[in-house]
Amino acid sequence: MNIDAGTMRPTEHGEVYVLNDGGEVDLDLGNYERYLDVTLSRDNNITTGKIYREVIDKERKGEYLGKTVQIVPHVTNAIQDWIERVSKIPVDDTDEEPDVCIVELGGTVGDIESAPFIEAMRQFQFRVGYENFALIHVSLVPDMHGEQKTKPTQTTVHSLRGLGLLPDLIACRLIVPQPLNAATKDKISMFCHVSSEQVFGVHDVSSVYHVPLLLHSQGIVQYLKKRLRLDKLVIPETMITKGKSLEKRWREMTAGQERLFDSVSIALVGKYTDLKDSYMSVIKSLEHSAFRVHRKLIIHWVESSDLEPEIQESNPAKYHDAWRAVVGASGILVPGGFGTRGNEGMILAIKYAREQKIPFLGICFGFQLAVIEWARSVLEVSGATSAEFDSNAEHPIIIFMPEISRTHMGGTMRLGLRPTVFDPDCESWSKVRKLYGGVGKIWERHRHRYEVNPQFVDQLQQSGLSFVGKDEKGERMQVLELKDHPYFVGLQAHPEFCTRPLNPSPAFLGFIAASSGQTVFEEQLQYQLANFKPPHPDHAMVSEEVLRGETEKTRMVNGVPGDIHMEERVIQVVNSDRD
């Protein structure tokens, strides 16, 4: 029933992924953007809360002309209308209406939660016609001591057909390295009313990036071409060439993974390490960067609170294991987060990286903590902290942004794609600027409520902490970098949200390259200067004023800014570490 993922803590539902327009969505949207190299909007994420809100809004306005408002047809129609509308929105640099729209209907067949959506899809197949609707059903095929069991698939397909949906393809997920047996395919074909060619196996492979090639080898492209009459489309020669180039580069990337001998070890110091999905985009950014520099990625997960002195007393083994991981790593990464738990451990890790000249990357919260660590250690400002930790702090280095709501959590942060302007004085030496192709302005996605206190900026810069990137007005600090360090970079934005397998995030690429050695780092600097291309469509890279206006326009609901009505946005914060 959530309107979006913005108020959910990462350990509840995984990472909160941010889109260009500021939409806070499920982490699956990040997978789609990365795999398909597309740019999506908040409307590409449908939730029950969004649909019910839309239907209730129409009812309150009298748009149903006094009829009894029901799940069928009003909610199901709203779902179909939403899909049809959003499916026509351009999502790539061609700026053309898409030919195919992929719809993920989450949950399990028979769930109360998904029932209106399944009924909507049953109706939708008749609205758009047989040639325009293909259903892929994903089902688990357990492997019981080498025997592949088909009963769960038979049962779920039977339930699905009872609800009026007939699968065109059945994708069988196996959680073992063995492929789907031919006999298993035939059995599923017999009992699920499909041919053997319509049954695909998706077994465990060495890397998730092999999965598209695995499906391609089983004929999924040919089947969908025939089923959806895609062979009737007239595709320009330039697009065909682009597609062939993409396939070639993807095959080279995946083939290269199997022959990697050198490794790069990264200590990820965070507070949500119990659920790795909390840092999904960070992991993907590290993976993409490691592909580029031909290194096998090793991530050491470090719970930040385990680095704090109190743990040395209460659990010395855990304390020493955490510090062993940090000290033994080639690079140290501190990602985003909220609240007070584990912050001192992150600051200690940052201090170690700075003093020992270990490559460091701080993202959002990590950027803010790097500023606090500098203020404490270099400026010797005792009690330097964030207003998030102590609202009455004497030296708040990080403060609450003045335009942000203090009472409402959902959709009220500084969100979405925002420009960063590099300081002209840093052009000759800034490593991070060179990684972005040496341009004067870049765009990254933001998600934060706090910023560096303007009262301390001059003092921080004069002491040697360089804020090489700021907002267009020069008031908000967005990128920091140390000049005399192999790689010490912090970004207020979340560059991980814009990474691509074949076009890794520059900030992460620099971090992984620096962690792999100075020679590798210099090679990537030169490559990025000559070849970097932003992953954003040209029309998205505009001034912050224009971006803010577009975002606010999409967030207006009955004249109230934000994602939902004011009365719907009231929330009681009972835990300062809610995120």
Side-chain angles (χ1 to χ4, degrees), residues 405-475:
S405 170
R406 290 180 179 273
T407 56
H408 302 116
M409 299 295 112
T412 60
M413 286 186 274
R414 185 166 185 255
L415 291 163
L417 196 70
R418 295 285 180 267
T420 293
V421 180
F422 281 114
D423 187 337
D425 294 338
C426 78
E427 185 174 4
S428 60
W429 65 268
S430 172
K431 302 179 182 73
V432 71
R433 179 168 179 171
K434 290 176 183 176
L435 288 163
Y436 280 92
V439 297
K441 186 185 286 190
I442 61 171
W443 280 260
E444 293 286 8
R445 295 174 182 175
H446 288 247
R447 183 178 186 254
H448 59 106
R449 289 190 179 91
Y450 294 84
E451 65 175 341
V452 178
N453 191 338
Q455 295 180 7
F456 288 91
V457 169
D458 288 343
Q459 194 177 350
L460 289 163
Q461 293 202 116
Q462 287 167 13
S463 63
L465 184 64
S466 300
F467 291 108
V468 297
K470 303 174 184 177
D471 70 346
E472 290 175 314
K473 295 181 179 179
E475 299 170 349

Side-chain angles (χ1 to χ4, degrees), residues 235-265:
I235 303 175
E237 193 62 38
T238 54
M239 292 299 289
I240 294 173
T241 304
K242 183 178 179 182
K244 289 179 178 177
S245 170
L246 172 62
E247 182 180 1
K248 179 175 179 288
R249 288 184 294 137
W250 191 281
R251 287 185 183 278
E252 288 172 352
M253 178 187 76
T254 52
Q257 287 179 260
E258 307 304 319
R259 298 191 292 269
L260 297 178
F261 297 104
D262 296 324
S263 62
V264 56
S265 62

Side-chain angles (χ1 to χ4, degrees), residues 357-421:
K357 306 290 187 183
I358 306 297
F360 165 79
L361 179 62
I363 302 298
C364 193
F365 194 55
F367 162 86
Q368 295 172 3
L369 292 178
V371 178
I372 292 172
E373 189 280 322
W374 182 275
R376 289 182 184 179
S377 304
V378 179
L379 288 180
E380 297 182 342
V381 178
S382 61
T385 188
S386 169
E388 183 178 6
F389 315 150
D390 181 3
S391 56
N392 299 312
E394 184 180 355
H395 301 294
I397 303 298
I398 306 297
I399 60 170
F400 203 89
M401 290 190 293
E403 71 271 30
I404 302 301
S405 170
R406 290 180 179 273
T407 56
H408 302 116
M409 299 295 112
T412 60
M413 286 186 274
R414 185 166 185 255
L415 291 163
L417 196 70
R418 295 285 180 267
T420 293
V421 180

